[in-house]
Amino acid sequence: GKITAIVCLPEAIITASKDKCVKFYDKASRLIRGGPLGKAAIQSCRYDSASKRLFVGTMERAVQVYRLAEPATGELELVGMLGQTAGTGHSASVRTFDYDEKRKYLFSGGYDKAVCIWSTVPGQERSSRLVGRLQGHSSKLKGTSRGTQSLRCSSPPGVATR
């Protein structure tokens, strides 16, 4: 399937695709591991190396949180789902992520033209909560970039918000 996200780690490369798969390419052994995750096409992913968590955004509007036991094996454990409660999270597919390791905030941007801010403490994913929602874009969000003091989002044709 079409690759929608690539994450480069020192020991592996993680790819996500529209065919619902996450693959792990072990650099040392050159082995490929992984497979399908759930029932929806994967739009994006983000890896937090400190907590070994993989955040996955799908066409189903939810953010799936997996714990990665060992990148070389590709073994994933679903530890949380963000945005499953009606009225929280995204109303369209999740397209982009950024993660603030210091504050433990996950920023997700979607085709609903919104950025959701999630509190995601490692080990407490089931109680993660939406702490903010930024709206105002006129187009689907395709990327996020976070500086030390601000969050910048983009949507075609290059509209940026601070």
Side-chain angles (χ1 to χ4, degrees):
K2 178 181 175 184
I3 293 177
T4 55
I6 299 172
V7 177
C8 295
L9 306 173
E11 65 279 5
I13 296 172
I14 302 171
T15 62
S17 61
K18 288 206 174 202
D19 63 359
K20 308 167 192 159
C21 289
V22 170
K23 302 275 178 127
F24 299 86
Y25 301 87
D26 182 274
K27 292 178 182 178
S29 69
R30 298 190 180 265
L31 293 176
I32 301 171
R33 295 186 175 97
L37 290 180
K39 299 176 184 174
I42 298 172
Q43 290 287 89
S44 57
C45 69
R46 173 74 181 200
Y47 183 70
D48 173 35
S49 57
S51 65
K52 296 187 187 275
R53 293 181 301 165
L54 183 68
F55 302 100
V56 175
T58 70
M59 296 288 286
E60 290 181 334
R61 305 179 307 267
V63 176
Q64 300 170 350
V65 184
Y66 292 90
R67 185 182 62 79
L68 184 58
E70 183 61 45
T73 66
E75 184 181 335
L76 292 171
E77 172 192 4
L78 181 64
V79 294
M81 294 280 282
L82 309 178
Q84 286 187 299
T85 307
T88 64
H90 291 282
S91 60
S93 64
V94 179
R95 178 67 184 187
T96 183
F97 289 111
D98 203 350
Y99 187 70
D100 183 334
E101 290 183 22
K102 182 178 178 183
R103 295 178 188 94
K104 307 297 184 222
Y105 284 155
L106 177 71
F107 301 89
S108 59
Y111 276 10
D112 58 357
K113 307 171 193 170
V115 174
C116 290
I117 306 167
W118 306 93
S119 174
T120 62
V121 177
Q124 299 176 13
E125 288 83 0
R126 299 208 186 276
S127 62
S128 294
R129 67 188 196 291
L130 183 69
V131 295
R133 184 174 171 87
L134 309 174
Q135 294 182 280
H137 283 272
S138 59
S139 298
K140 301 172 183 177
L141 287 171
K142 300 227 175 190
T144 56
S145 173
R146 184 186 46 80
T148 57
Q149 299 293 323
S150 65
L151 174 70
R152 188 171 296 278
C153 306
S154 66
S155 57
V159 177
T161 303
R162 193 167 195 194

